[in-house]
Amino acid sequence: MYGNWGKFLRVNLSTGEVKVEEYEEELAKKWLGSRGLAIYFLLKEMDPKVDPLGPENKLILTPGPLSGTSAPTGGRYNVVTKSPATGFITMANSGGYFGAELKFAGWDGIIVEGKAEKPVYIYIKDEHVEIRDASHLWGKVVSETEEAIRKEIGSKKVRIALIGPAGENLVKFAAIMNDGHRAAGRAGVGAVMGSKNLKAIAVEGSKRVPIADKQKFMLTVREKINKLKNDPVAGGGLPNYGTAVLVNIINENGLYPTRNFQTGVFEHAYEQSGEAMAKKYLIRNQPCYACPIGCGRVNKLPTVGVTEGPEYESTWAFGANLGINDLASIIEANHQCDEFGLDTISTGGTLATAMELYEKGYLTDEELGDAPPFRWGNTEVLHYYIEKIAYRKDFGDKLAEGGYRLAESYGHPEYSMSVKKLELPAYDPRGAEGHGLGYATNNRGGCHIKNYMISPEILGYPYKMDPHDISDDKVKMLIIFQDLSALIDAAGLCLFTTFGLGADDYRDMLNAALGWDFTTEDYLKIGERIWNAERLFNLKAGLVPERDDTLPKRFLEEPMPEGPNKGHVVRLKEMLPRYYKLRGWTEDGRIPKEKAEELGIAEFL
Amino acid sequence: MLRVHFKVVYVLVKLFATLIEFTGKRKLEISGPKTVRELLDELERTFPGFKKELEKGHIILVNGKNIEHLQGLDTPLKDDDTVSIFPPAGGG
């Protein structure tokens, strides 16, 4: 087998048993790897109805066949598990170097089962696997934990994926961090790790990923790298300004969510844009493994010193979404989240919900006591409550449940801007309706990255589509984006490569590395299979399409109050039935037997 | 007294990313252009090489609406319109 090793490491923390799970190439031909193989294992081995924070939930960390190779951006890994935030599947994706290192150690992934009696960490050096005591590390923030483990192992080369206090305290939106500031962020994967008493996974590897046709692979990789370097986004906008180059674009287009999505235009956008950040705080770029793009930001502040980030989403989450106009505070808040191991989108989204509840008078000063009031623009909220959330202290305990549960506890879930209880990212769907359909149908809930319709609707990639067109063409494009994103995740690459590469480019690299002669359609079929399998998991976990495939009422009923999208809502009801139909699903959003058979997943029905 | 009225269109132009570095300006007011095409011609006159900066791609908005869904470069401009010009960009 090439690309993949054909081996997963299975660690049961309840029994301490460590096993090697081998699989045949036929399985890779069906699921490719990473996000694909992970959903296969979960459907095969686990009841989707399990308690996400119980020992029976499985946590899978898995790089793809191109991770650890020279393919551009081949350093990604996915964390796939049942989410405690949504109760559905989640596949959080991260860059950095950990994913590649796991491949160097000879593993396509780790399946973590059960729950350790006391805090532990897993140390992997090629075939050597140890479960070590982590009692002394419990309670430590991310940077301190990394440093302590590195010292203990006595190697600078070791790569570590870990949780901070937020994961230990089962915050519903805790992240798994790696390489300092990279995060498998979304939907509470860090809480699942914490529920298993697993503080960290440290890996060192010495192998080279086997490639089928080395010469062909080298040539095709070189060609793709050139494409990316010559692309004005991947080779220009992203390295120059980072992902926050989007702040002004999204704001000028009138869909930059402001004050918990009450409007789509923020008056101080420029001051917190990638342009402003580059001018004021940027000291250098920080690329992930094998990345020719290098969008990561290394910023320096007098308060926190040298730190990484924030990305576009985090900039917004602590800025416009809270009405905050202070870039330094935003960068500090991002740094705090990285140290505690918190997802920035959900942290900001939850605080925004609290602010609107406060504005509307449901959350009062009386309840908060001496704690900072949730007033729009109050930077004190960031520093004070982020720490409270991570340790579940005082009001932080309520916030740690996420925005939906918070708003629901006041009898007003409509103030949570979330889908399937996952807080939405930085695009108001009233300004990009196809993106709105993406939110509503995304397998992990309120997420942008698995169906980034902002590309065609706003940025013009692969070509420009009208953000208010809701024809079948739009729905079909969304389906292609969902399937292609699943494929790229399964390959172990970064979704930002789509700014310079097309579906045929992924085919070229995969065929050369794996020794297959698949067509582009074959690969997209794998993406479609993954998407459907995840949907199937969700349906079995209790997803009710008519209740769950939807958007917050605000986007369906309250027209955008100002700006270029003034008067628009999302016409979800007009799009959703056509989405189901074009997916080959039943009218009520279920997967029929014929479709499952066509995709080879009928055994899981 | 004889009064002559000239109808002059004033447009607010907002520039972003590398275009700020290229022109040294974030915002400027331009008088005269009746279409986006005429505006770009004027910007080219003021900042020679400006159009070349947009060759690899661009996003041009008139009052927040992409000209691709208006009348492209022939999109008419009127007084007090805001035109936002971006080089190609992406993220997420």
Side-chain angles (χ1 to χ4, degrees):
Chain A
M1 203 182 304
Y2 298 100
N4 291 309
W5 293 105
K7 280 194 298 186
F8 271 69
L9 181 65
R10 192 185 289 275
V11 180
N12 188 313
L13 293 175
S14 297
T15 61
E17 195 181 14
V18 176
K19 278 200 295 201
V20 180
E21 177 79 39
E22 292 190 65
Y23 64 91
E24 298 297 320
E25 191 174 13
E26 282 313 301
L27 203 64
K29 284 188 169 170
K30 205 166 163 184
W31 300 98
L32 191 56
S34 191
R35 183 176 155 188
L37 283 171
I39 188 63
Y40 163 79
F41 283 125
L42 288 185
L43 277 172
K44 187 166 163 253
E45 302 176 358
M46 191 176 98
D47 179 0
K49 288 201 164 59
V50 298
D51 171 7
L53 297 179
E56 53 287 349
N57 192 11
K58 301 189 185 198
L59 177 74
I60 305 180
L61 292 87
T62 168
L66 294 183
S67 310
T69 71
S70 57
T73 75
R76 311 292 300 188
Y77 74 102
N78 281 285
V79 181
V80 185
T81 189
K82 182 174 176 179
S83 158
T86 64
F88 302 124
I89 194 78
T90 184
M91 28 338 194
N93 185 293
S94 181
Y97 294 79
F98 174 82
E101 196 70 29
L102 197 51
K103 282 295 287 292
F104 299 154
W107 302 105
D108 296 332
I110 309 168
I111 304 171
V112 183
E113 305 172 336
K115 177 186 178 177
E117 252 176 51
K118 54 181 177 48
V120 295
Y121 76 92
I122 300 171
Y123 172 51
I124 302 165
K125 189 173 187 184
D126 294 329
E127 288 81 17
H128 174 86
V129 181
E130 256 181 79
I131 301 172
R132 292 185 171 186
D133 178 44
S135 305
H136 57 299
L137 302 171
W138 208 248
K140 281 194 194 307
V141 296
V142 166
S143 61
E144 284 173 10
T145 309
E146 273 208 75
E147 203 187 317
I149 292 179
R150 224 169 239 131
K151 218 169 159 188
E152 211 164 288
I153 292 170
S155 162
K156 279 191 179 143
K157 220 187 136 261
V158 67
R159 300 290 180 183
I160 305 164
L162 71 163
I163 55 169
E168 297 171 11
N169 295 317
L170 311 182
V171 175
K172 290 269 184 338
F173 43 94
I176 295 177
M177 306 298 298
N178 61 277
D179 302 292
H181 296 272
R182 306 311 305 182
R186 304 234 60 204
V189 292
V192 176
M193 192 155 158
S195 76
K196 298 191 173 310
N197 269 330
L198 179 60
K199 180 70 176 171
I201 300 172
V203 187
E204 277 181 288
S206 63
K207 302 177 204 292
R208 289 181 85 115
V209 179
I211 299 293
D213 188 333
K214 282 184 190 159
Q215 181 69 12
K216 200 168 154 196
F217 185 66
M218 194 185 75
L219 290 173
T220 189
V221 161
R222 200 176 292 163
E223 183 214 335
K224 309 312 174 198
I225 290 175
N226 280 335
K227 270 193 176 180
L228 287 168
K229 285 195 166 158
N230 289 320
D231 178 81
V233 174
L238 278 172
N240 287 341
Y241 302 105
T243 52
V245 71
L246 279 182
V247 172
N248 286 318
I249 298 177
I250 302 302
N251 190 54
E252 292 291 310
N253 276 279
L255 63 154
Y256 195 50
T258 300
R259 298 178 186 86
N260 202 31
F261 291 77
Q262 294 193 62
T263 181
V265 190
F266 187 48
E267 59 276 23
H268 301 295
Y270 183 83
E271 288 109 287
Q272 46 196 252
S273 63
E275 288 95 322
M277 205 188 299
K279 213 171 170 183
K280 266 182 128 167
Y281 301 112
L282 183 73
I283 51 175
R284 63 182 166 86
N285 293 18
Q286 176 62 53
C288 299
Y289 172 83
C291 180
I293 304 171
C295 68
R297 311 280 87 184
V298 178
N299 286 312
K300 192 176 176 184
L301 255 71
T303 43
V304 296
V306 174
T307 183
E308 272 183 50
E311 301 293 334
Y312 165 70
E313 306 293 339
S314 320
T315 307
W316 157 82
F318 300 130
N321 201 30
L322 305 177
I324 284 175
N325 175 30
D326 178 18
L327 185 52
S329 290
I330 293 168
I331 298 175
E332 285 160 16
N334 182 71
H335 180 82
Q336 264 185 301
C337 284
D338 286 357
E339 281 292 67
F340 293 135
L342 281 166
D343 173 38
T344 52
I345 297 177
S346 286
T347 303
T350 301
L351 294 174
T353 298
M355 283 187 171
E356 190 161 358
L357 288 169
Y358 183 83
E359 179 193 66
K360 300 282 191 290
Y362 300 114
L363 172 56
T364 59
D365 285 324
E366 204 183 343
E367 182 178 356
L368 295 172
D370 291 337
F374 280 101
R375 237 177 259 123
W376 300 115
N378 182 6
T379 53
E380 258 188 300
V381 162
L382 294 176
H383 309 301
Y384 183 85
Y385 289 109
I386 287 174
E387 189 173 346
K388 294 282 183 197
I389 290 170
Y391 294 98
R392 278 189 176 270
K393 276 201 185 129
D394 309 327
F395 195 68
D397 192 37
K398 240 176 170 174
L399 295 168
E401 289 296 301
Y404 185 88
R405 291 172 181 86
L406 175 75
E408 200 183 28
S409 73
Y410 291 92
H412 290 281
E414 70 274 18
Y415 292 123
S416 165
M417 298 303 125
S418 58
V419 171
K420 298 180 176 74
K421 301 190 178 78
L422 184 67
E423 291 75 15
L424 287 168
Y427 315 87
D428 191 311
R430 288 172 293 188
E433 295 188 59
H435 196 65
L437 178 63
Y439 285 156
T441 58
N442 195 306
N443 286 325
R444 70 170 178 178
C447 146
H448 59 300
I449 205 91
K450 311 292 181 195
N451 35 227
Y452 197 60
M453 288 298 283
I454 295 303
S455 258
E457 292 190 294
I458 303 295
L459 306 172
Y461 276 79
Y463 55 87
K464 185 75 178 70
M465 294 183 107
D466 188 327
H468 297 296
D469 163 54
I470 56 165
S471 67
D472 280 2
D473 284 348
K474 182 64 74 68
V475 180
K476 282 178 193 160
M477 182 63 103
L478 170 67
I479 292 172
I480 292 172
F481 263 65
Q482 291 179 334
D483 294 350
L484 182 64
S485 303
L487 175 80
I488 296 168
D489 278 352
L493 300 182
C494 173
L495 291 169
F496 287 175
T497 52
T498 54
F499 288 115
L501 305 180
D504 292 348
D505 294 308
Y506 301 104
R507 174 205 61 201
D508 295 347
M509 288 191 283
L510 286 164
N511 277 345
L514 301 166
W516 300 348
D517 55 356
F518 278 22
T519 62
T520 303
E521 289 68 38
D522 293 335
Y523 282 115
L524 282 172
K525 201 76 190 167
I526 294 177
E528 187 190 359
R529 181 175 299 122
I530 295 169
W531 192 270
N532 276 267
E534 290 167 348
R535 173 80 174 180
L536 193 56
F537 182 96
N538 283 355
L539 288 163
K540 291 173 97 172
L543 181 134
V544 180
E546 49 276 28
R547 181 193 66 199
D548 299 320
D549 291 346
T550 190
L551 293 171
K553 214 163 79 180
R554 174 159 289 163
F555 307 127
L556 305 174
E557 293 176 10
E558 287 175 33
M560 183 72 97
E562 61 180 327
N565 299 300
K566 187 175 174 176
H568 283 281
V569 293
V570 183
R571 290 162 292 173
L572 183 65
K573 270 193 183 147
E574 292 175 47
M575 293 185 280
L576 196 58
R578 285 183 284 130
Y579 172 85
Y580 289 159
K581 197 172 173 200
L582 288 164
R583 273 265 174 226
W585 296 349
T586 62
E587 271 176 26
D588 58 356
R590 270 86 177 168
I591 301 169
K593 196 161 165 252
E594 309 81 66
K595 186 72 197 175
E597 276 167 357
E598 177 205 317
L599 293 168
I601 56 170
E603 59 181 302
F604 302 124
L605 276 178
Chain B
M1 198 165 69
L2 183 69
R3 265 197 178 160
V4 182
H5 291 274
F6 290 102
K7 196 174 179 307
V8 180
V9 175
Y10 279 94
V11 174
L12 174 69
V13 180
K14 291 162 92 174
L15 303 172
F16 298 94
T18 43
L19 296 177
I20 301 176
E21 287 161 42
F22 183 76
T23 61
K25 291 191 187 307
R26 266 176 59 197
K27 284 181 189 173
L28 60 155
E29 214 174 40
I30 295 215
S31 64
K34 291 192 227 26
T35 62
V36 172
R37 190 187 305 279
E38 286 182 25
L39 172 69
L40 293 183
D41 288 342
E42 184 57 38
L43 285 167
E44 176 68 28
R45 268 193 292 276
T46 318
F47 308 104
F50 186 85
K51 281 189 183 173
K52 201 171 184 316
E53 290 289 304
L54 305 181
E55 254 174 18
K56 274 190 165 183
H58 54 256
I59 299 171
I60 300 177
L61 313 175
V62 175
N63 302 324
K65 292 199 162 68
N66 196 306
I67 60 165
E68 295 234 10
H69 310 303
L70 300 170
Q71 294 166 52
L73 293 176
D74 297 321
T75 302
L77 296 174
K78 53 182 191 329
D79 232 3
D80 290 335
D81 275 349
T82 298
V83 182
S84 313
I85 308 179
F86 300 89

